[in-house]
Amino acid sequence: MSTIRELLGEYSSPGEVEARHEAEILLGHALGRDRAWLFTHSQDAPDAEAIVKFRQLMQARERGEPVAYLIGHRGFWTLDLLVTPEVLIPRPETELLVELALERIPEDREFRVADLGTGSGAVALAIASERPLASVLATDASTAALVVARENATRLEFGNVEFAHGNWCDALAGQFFDLIVSNPPYIEAEDDHLGQGDLRFEPRSALASGSDGLDAIREIIESATGHMNRGAWLLLEHGYDQGDRVRAILRSHGYSETRTWKDFAGRDRISGGMS
Ligand code: GLN
């Protein structure tokens, strides 16, 4: 019988911090326990069924399957969100989009926010959690993604998020907003990264967007003006080398105050403008 300590040792050599961390997460998942529990029970011997499950998870991970899909959830902002292969795995850099949105949403009155291409619902739900008086409409062209996003909203019991099906602003059906946010696909269709790491397992429609990666961004910038109240902001996540082009597209459609913000890695990540 192997102990927890021995099982973890099999899958990571000393110094392999990342591999060790992943093995802990997957063993915890197989056992229905958190990592803290593992540390205090390192001499316990899990039953055979749990060990089989752990080894299967480690094999899937070795094939490249993302940890978030294997355990079915991922932390974002202060929330623990369900994720499936139908949705993009929420990324920490996208929390900047939430921060910039919150800076623009008053705490003491109603405010209408749209999150286009919500995926797991991460951005919409993070905003809703911080601004109970705001109402958030989260959209997606993928019905499968909306199932996941709705399930997250139900589990978190937020009453101020609604969902609509449709491509970008098509889903907004004549409505007007005080703020529109989106983390759209922005990778170039031929980019080699799409064949590497977690990206291989994520929905292509949530990652890639035309030959220069900007198809979705162009469409959103162009159509959002028809759904923005006076003084409303549009905030868009994009690739590290797209800030100049996104600001130029914003300006060409009449947005003012156009700006780009850098993520914690110091790379251009979000651009926006006022309608
Ligand atoms: N930030 C993601 C990546 O490059 C892409 C997400 C997106 O296209 N919105 O891995």
Side-chain angles (χ1 to χ4, degrees), residues 63-74:
R63 287 193 301 270
E65 285 185 45
V67 173
Y69 290 155
L70 292 173
I71 65 172
H73 61 111
R74 169 57 53 98

Side-chain angles (χ1 to χ4, degrees), residues 45-99:
D47 62 40
E49 200 183 327
I51 292 178
V52 169
K53 191 170 172 194
F54 170 59
R55 294 199 190 285
Q56 285 169 345
L57 288 165
M58 289 305 298
Q59 274 167 16
R61 183 64 192 127
E62 277 158 17
R63 287 193 301 270
E65 285 185 45
V67 173
Y69 290 155
L70 292 173
I71 65 172
H73 61 111
R74 169 57 53 98
F76 179 79
W77 198 251
T78 61
L79 311 173
D80 185 44
L81 299 170
L82 299 177
V83 296
T84 73
E86 311 290 352
V87 301
L88 189 82
I89 299 165
R91 310 276 203 275
E93 56 267 30
T94 303
E95 292 173 347
L96 176 61
L97 182 59
V98 176
E99 282 173 32

Side-chain angles (χ1 to χ4, degrees), residues 88 91 93 183-187 199 206-207 237:
L88 189 82
R91 310 276 203 275
E93 56 267 30
N183 173 19
Y186 51 72
I187 299 174
L199 271 58
L207 292 169
E237 181 173 321

